[in-house]
Amino acid sequence: LSCESPQKFRRAMLLSVGIVYYLRLDTLARSEFLQKLKSLPSEQYQEFHLKEVLDSAIDKLMEHTEIPVGIALTSGLKENTFMTLVCTLSRTPLMIVGPPGCSKTLAVSIVTDNANGEESP
């Protein structure tokens, strides 16, 4: 194992926890989840934490995504776009729930419009 491997493993683990648990929660539950996670003894001296790793992955995706002119990059749009892509690539069903105007359809449209990889039809 190289020195970088534990860092990569930790980032992958945090992304998994973020995708499977954290992003499903409402704002209050997310805050509580992060507090409980940070209070674990194993988390006290870590270099990076769940929110940082997840935000970094989402931001990196959005940097490489074409967004229509005039569309604001809200946290909801970023998260919905990220989860739409993750679930599409892993062929995992996804149900995006929220009030009208919270970027559900827009996120799917953005992922569809940007799907121009080798495996795209």
Side-chain angles (χ1 to χ4, degrees):
L1 289 175
S2 69
C3 288
E4 206 174 312
S5 290
Q7 301 292 341
K8 285 183 178 181
F9 177 78
R10 178 166 170 75
R11 285 184 185 277
M13 184 266 311
L14 289 172
L15 275 174
S16 298
V17 170
I19 290 166
V20 174
Y21 297 106
Y22 178 78
L23 289 175
R24 295 178 181 210
L25 303 172
D26 63 29
T27 305
L28 180 61
R30 285 181 182 192
S31 179
E32 291 174 10
F33 185 83
L34 289 175
Q35 285 177 340
K36 287 180 182 181
L37 192 61
K38 283 184 178 181
S39 71
L40 295 173
S42 61
E43 292 295 304
Q44 297 300 312
Y45 304 104
Q46 290 298 329
E47 193 175 323
F48 44 86
H49 299 282
L50 176 99
K51 185 85 169 89
E52 298 164 349
V53 171
L54 191 57
D55 286 347
S56 173
I58 291 171
D59 289 341
K60 184 165 275 197
L61 168 70
M62 298 312 291
E63 286 172 15
H64 298 285
T65 303
E66 290 183 26
I67 307 294
V69 176
I71 301 296
L73 279 177
T74 64
S75 60
L77 176 59
K78 290 185 200 180
E79 288 177 7
N80 289 341
T81 303
F82 180 75
M83 287 305 299
T84 300
L85 179 65
V86 167
C87 290
T88 299
L89 293 174
S90 64
R91 297 183 180 186
T92 304
L94 173 66
M95 185 180 297
I96 304 174
V97 179
C102 68
S103 306
K104 300 178 298 289
T105 304
L106 180 58
V108 174
S109 296
I110 288 171
V111 171
T112 302
D113 292 345
N114 280 269
N116 55 6
E118 293 175 14
E119 295 182 28
S120 297

